[in-house]
């Protein structure tokens, strides 16, 4: 009986280039050659959703990684150099950011170290939920607004932060590019001093070291050198509570900036183009009229005498604007201004106030120099950020005042103009509309004087002579100054500030930019905050230093001509014993062996049996006549299944085309039998490891029952998940996959499970997975939560 149970098989339409199992659910993420990211379930390999490439994200996926809690999937795009964080429930981007390099590898780890201080810190976090009101959800009726903040039921900031425990997304790219992002959002380290393009990396769960494998290629040399680096990241480990608190604050700040940006986007959409009609029609009227009097004077004549002095004005009002058009324009202005006003008060201001709160807390942390100075937290930079947010809040308040003033002015103006146009058309005017006091006349006259004065210098910039509509200029994403800035003459506070030198320069007062738009001040605020967030990444990055470096082997350029899903070396971090394992094959010299390099995460310590070679003895029944110690297997792909096991795809070295391949489990206990006795290999770090290959101790293992022949499949690659006890094998043509459950329960338990599932299905539980593979597109929109979990009985023990 085969050792592993096959539970799914599928032929895929596109070549798969990356596979990654979810750490918490029976879900596997795939990226294909077309740039599509797909999520599949274990049973029958049914599709849950797919995210096609688009202009806003990118078209070529180069890396995949799951957040340790399995709720967010990250993938890197090389053409746009962007990282996308995608919700597991729906194919939607929760967050994205740009990087300076094409990403070639990513690893998302979670800190496992516990202490009494950390536990109390986790319990106290996060008090901002008690002190700040919940951010109101953004309206759903605006097309360009991302859906991330639009649902009342989800608190997106907490979804992005996940568990309080620190997790870090480590990115590796070309030209020695390595960056570490706390919670997948905030950059806490830019690592330098590593050469080559990253082929694999692993940050230890105790945060003490980072292991990196790079490919260093000389332009004049067709061969690339595979090199192993171990970097000391002990600063992160030493200041774990401080790094966690700082990272959470910065992640809140980043999310609030996104919330403010989307609120402003909604405001821009609420402002309608129809509001420009008054300005454009007045400009056209000036260009076409034959009279020498100004538009302002002509409207004044209409106000004083109740009729237009010139036929051109009457034609403009009656033929172009029309009574019906005037009514519609008035309704549009009132509706648009009201929507913008609500967005400013409920969203822009609440987001800005929350931003001020978190920045003020961050400033308090920065002033605690004993704990936070080593991490690069700078109080002066945070003070500048607080000032920038204050300026933004002032500008938002100014916009509210402009909206309030404009709404009153336009209501009075349109009420008067409506009556005047009814008289021109000799329609009946209702008595209540006809009443106009001297105060009303003065109000309209002041409005005409202020808004209807011609400004020919505007024509070259804006294509019009007038700026009657004053709100839209605040929402334009332009660097130009406001066309009609607010009039501050006669304002007692401005005069007081102007005449008081010391008060004017006081840091307690936020600077005010009367000439600038809301967009300009928002961009300025984002720039200052980004600058304040960058410093810790530089300071922590400079503290990371190289503790160990060794060249492993050389590989020819021809190796890249065949599509390779996973390229050994492959890294693994043993959380229990704090050891980095590196698994690799010497591609040309000794393909029948796999090598296991071990390094302690504490760079000051070493481990015995630092490197071992493993070869596979004969175990296939069809080769029974051969000697048991014959070296007849080569390793095509290997992954660490858990702390004690490696999953491998093997083939016979003398294999001919069409022969079967083998999926097997290699227990590390059969390799590391007696560490104390064997001692440690002493190698020369100045020479490549493949030049010292004869000195590496070799262990021959004969697999007993943990293997399975993969019939009718030219298997090449494997992806595994030891927590969920599953593996996925991919063929060399990158389109044929098989899924296996690796630890098969005994028959009694299996029968019980089948009976339980049958009972649940009979009881009417949803079962989208009964759909055929041909109808897989029908479940593209189904969320992962809607689909039944194949291992529901194990869920409680796996959740943190």
């Amino acid at each position: 009986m085969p050792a592993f149970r096959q539970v799914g098989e599928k032929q895929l339409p596109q070549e798969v280039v990356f596979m990654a199992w979810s750490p918490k659910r029976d879900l596997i993420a795939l990226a294909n050659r077309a740039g599509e990211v797909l999520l599949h379930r274990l049973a029958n390999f049914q599709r849950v959703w797919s995210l096609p490439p688009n202009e806003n994200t990118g078209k070529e996926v180069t890396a995949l990684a799951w957040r340790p809690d399995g709720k967010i999937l990250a993938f890197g795009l090389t053409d746009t150099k962007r990282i996308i964080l995608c919700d597991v429930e729906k194919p939607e981007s929760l967050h994205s950011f740009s990087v300076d390099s094409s990403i070639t590898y990513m690893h998302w780890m979670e800190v496992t170290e516990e202490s009494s201080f950390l536990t109390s810190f986790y319990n106290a976090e996060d008090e901002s939920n008690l002190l700040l009101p919940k951010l109101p959800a953004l309206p759903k009726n605006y097309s360009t607004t991302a859906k991330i903040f639009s649902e009342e039921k989800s608190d997106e900031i907490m979804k992005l932060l996940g568990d309080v425990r620190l997790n870090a997304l480590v990115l590796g790219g070309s030209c020695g590019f390595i960056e570490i992002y706390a919670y997948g959002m905030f950059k806490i380290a830019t690592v330098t001093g590593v050469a080559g393009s990253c082929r694999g990396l692993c940050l230890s769960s105790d945060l003490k070291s980072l292991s990196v494998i790079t490919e260093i290629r000389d332009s004049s040399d067709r061969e690339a050198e595979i090199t192993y680096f171990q970097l000391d990241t002990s600063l992160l480990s030493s200041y774990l509570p401080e790094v966690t608190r700082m990272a959470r604050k910065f992640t809140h700040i980043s999310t609030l900036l996104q919330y403010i940006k989307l609120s402003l986007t909604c405001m821009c959409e609420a402002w309608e183009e129809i509001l420009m009609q008054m300005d454009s029609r007045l400009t056209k009227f000036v260009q076409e009229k034959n009279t020498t009097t100004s538009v302002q004077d002509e409207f004044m004549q209409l106000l004083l005498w109740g009729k237009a002095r010139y036929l051109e004005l009457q034609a403009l009002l009656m033929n172009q604007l029309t009574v019906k058009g005037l009514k519609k324009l008035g309704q549009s202005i009132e509706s648009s201004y009201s929507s913008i006003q609500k967005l400013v008060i409920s969203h822009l201001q609440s987001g800005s106030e929350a931003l001020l709160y978190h920045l003020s807390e961050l400033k308090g942390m920065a002033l605690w120099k004993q704990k936070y100075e080593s991490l690069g937290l700078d109080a002066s930079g945070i003070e500048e950020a607080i000032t920038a947010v204050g300026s933004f809040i002032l500008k938002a308040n100014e916009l509210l005042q402009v909206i309030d003033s404009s709404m009153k002015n336009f209501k009075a103006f349109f009420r008067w103009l409506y009556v005047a146009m009814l008289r021109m058309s000799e329609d009946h005017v209702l008595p209540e509309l006809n009443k106009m006091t001297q105060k009303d006349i003065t109000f309209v006259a002041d409005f005409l004087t202020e808004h209807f004065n011609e400004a020919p210098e505007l024509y070259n910039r804006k294509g019009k002579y007038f700026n009657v509509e004053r709100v839209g200029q605040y929402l334009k994403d332009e660097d130009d100054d406001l066309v009609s800035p607010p009039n501050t003459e006669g304002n007692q506070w401005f005069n007081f500030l102007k005449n008081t030198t010391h008060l004017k320069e006081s840091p307690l007062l936020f600077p005010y930019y009367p000439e600038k738009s809301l967009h300009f001040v928002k961009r300025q605020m984002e720039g200052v905050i980004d600058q304040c967030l960058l410093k810790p990444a530089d300071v922590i990055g400079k503290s990371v230093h190289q503790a160990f470096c060794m060249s492993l082997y050389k590989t020819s350029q021809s190796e890249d001509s065949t599509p390779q899903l996973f390229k050994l070396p492959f890294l693994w971090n043993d959380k229990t014993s704090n050891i980095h394992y590196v698994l690799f094959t010497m591609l040309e010299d000794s393909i029948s062996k796999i090598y296991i390099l071990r390094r302690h995460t504490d760079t000051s310590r070493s481990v015995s049996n630092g490197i071992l070679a493993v070869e596979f003895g004969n175990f296939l029944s069809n080769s029974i006549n051969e000697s048991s110690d014959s070296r007849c297997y080569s390793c095509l792909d290997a992954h660490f299944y858990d702390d004690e096991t490696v999953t491998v795809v093997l083939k016979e070295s003398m294999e001919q085309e069409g022969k079967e391949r083998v999926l097997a489990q290699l227990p590390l206990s059969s390799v590391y039998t007696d560490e104390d006795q064997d001692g440690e290999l002493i190698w020369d770090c100045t020479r490549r490891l493949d030049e010292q290959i004869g000195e590496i101790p070799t262990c021959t293992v004969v697999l007993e029952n943990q293997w399975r022949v993969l019939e009718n499949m030219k298997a090449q690659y494997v992806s595994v998940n030891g927590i969920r006890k599953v593996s996925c094998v991919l063929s060399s043509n990158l389109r044929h996959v098989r899924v296996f459950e690796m630890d098969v329960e005994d028959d009694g338990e299996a029968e019980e499970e089948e009976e339980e599932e049958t009972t649940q299905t009979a009881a009417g539980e949803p079962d989208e997975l009964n759909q055929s593979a041909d109808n897989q597109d029908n479940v593209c929109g189904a969320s992962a939560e809607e689909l039944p979990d194949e291992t529901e009985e194990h869920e409680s023990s796996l959740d943190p």
Side-chain angles (χ1 to χ4, degrees), residues 689-705:
L689 190 62
D690 60 354
E691 296 171 351
Q692 309 171 60
I693 203 166
E695 302 168 28
I696 300 174
T698 300
C699 172
T700 302
V701 293
V702 178
L703 303 173
E704 295 178 0
N705 56 1

Side-chain angles (χ1 to χ4, degrees), residues 703-760:
L703 303 173
E704 295 178 0
N705 56 1
Q706 290 297 300
W707 55 270
R708 173 172 178 151
V709 175
L710 300 168
E711 299 93 348
N712 305 316
M713 183 182 192
K714 196 174 179 183
Q716 188 80 18
Y717 311 106
V718 65
S719 176
V720 297
N721 184 346
I723 299 174
R724 304 301 294 183
K725 305 185 187 326
V726 288
S727 68
C728 182
V729 180
L730 179 66
S731 66
S732 56
N733 69 2
L734 306 180
R735 290 187 177 184
H736 181 192
V737 292
R738 277 186 194 166
V739 183
F740 294 93
E741 284 185 354
M742 304 300 282
D743 293 1
V744 181
E745 299 167 339
D746 61 43
D747 294 338
E749 290 182 7
E751 285 173 13
E752 285 177 13
E753 188 180 334
E754 285 174 15
E755 286 175 13
E756 190 179 330
E757 286 177 2
T758 308
T759 308
Q760 288 175 349

Side-chain angles (χ1 to χ4, degrees), residues 316-556:
L316 165 75
L317 297 174
M318 303 306 297
N319 301 335
Q320 291 189 36
L321 191 58
T322 73
V323 174
K324 189 177 178 182
L326 180 72
K327 206 169 183 179
K328 185 180 177 184
L329 185 59
Q331 289 170 347
S332 294
I333 287 179
E334 187 171 357
S335 168
S336 176
Y337 283 4
S338 296
S339 299
I340 295 171
Q341 203 170 34
K342 287 174 187 172
L343 283 164
V344 173
I345 294 168
S346 63
H347 297 85
L348 212 61
Q349 287 189 331
S350 59
S352 303
E353 286 162 8
L355 198 55
L356 267 183
Y357 170 87
H358 288 294
L359 283 169
S360 300
E361 281 217 325
L362 202 59
K363 183 186 172 187
M365 290 159 58
L367 292 172
W368 195 351
K369 295 190 176 181
Q370 180 188 356
K371 286 185 173 291
Y372 290 97
E373 191 174 35
S374 302
L375 299 176
L377 213 51
D378 178 28
S380 61
I382 299 167
E383 184 62 53
E384 289 177 13
I386 290 172
T387 303
V389 176
S391 297
F392 179 73
I393 292 174
L394 286 179
K395 184 56 70 171
N397 283 329
E398 180 191 311
L399 176 60
L400 282 179
Q401 291 173 4
V402 171
I403 291 173
D404 192 50
S405 169
S406 294
M407 283 178 80
K408 284 193 293 187
N409 290 339
F410 274 122
K411 275 184 180 177
F413 173 70
F414 282 138
R415 184 173 178 273
W416 161 72
L417 194 59
Y418 179 65
V419 172
M421 290 172 70
L422 285 177
R423 285 184 182 140
M424 284 181 197
S425 59
E426 299 181 354
D427 284 354
H428 172 66
V429 181
L430 295 172
E432 59 267 23
L433 290 176
N434 217 1
K435 292 177 183 176
M436 199 168 182
T437 64
Q438 186 61 43
K439 188 177 179 182
D440 294 334
I441 293 172
T442 307
F443 193 81
V444 174
D446 289 344
F447 175 76
L448 291 172
T449 304
E450 185 181 353
H451 290 75
F452 279 62
N453 51 339
E454 296 176 30
E457 67 275 6
L458 282 180
Y459 190 74
N460 293 331
R461 280 173 56 195
K462 304 291 180 182
K464 53 187 175 57
Y465 293 131
F466 296 89
N467 193 42
V468 177
E469 199 284 311
R470 300 278 171 98
V471 174
Q473 60 181 344
Y474 284 85
L475 305 177
K476 297 283 185 187
D477 194 2
E478 298 172 353
D479 291 330
D480 293 340
D481 291 347
L482 294 178
V483 175
S484 302
N487 185 10
T488 58
E489 288 182 20
N491 186 302
Q492 293 180 348
W493 172 250
F494 275 93
N495 293 336
F496 176 60
L497 280 183
K498 200 173 182 181
N499 299 324
T500 314
T501 311
H502 298 294
L503 192 59
K504 185 170 62 176
E505 296 171 355
S506 169
L508 299 174
L509 294 176
F510 298 137
Y512 174 58
Y513 305 98
E515 305 287 329
K516 300 299 181 184
S517 71
L518 186 65
H519 255 294
F520 180 90
V521 180
K522 191 253 319 178
R523 277 206 315 272
Q524 187 182 52
M525 174 184 74
E526 287 175 335
V528 174
I529 293 177
D530 285 345
Q531 202 62 36
C532 140
L533 302 188
L534 285 176
K535 192 174 178 185
D538 291 334
V539 171
I540 296 173
K542 284 173 183 172
S543 77
V544 177
H545 58 274
Q546 184 178 303
F548 178 80
C549 172
M550 183 170 195
S551 173
L552 300 180
Y553 59 88
K554 282 203 169 185
T555 175
S556 63

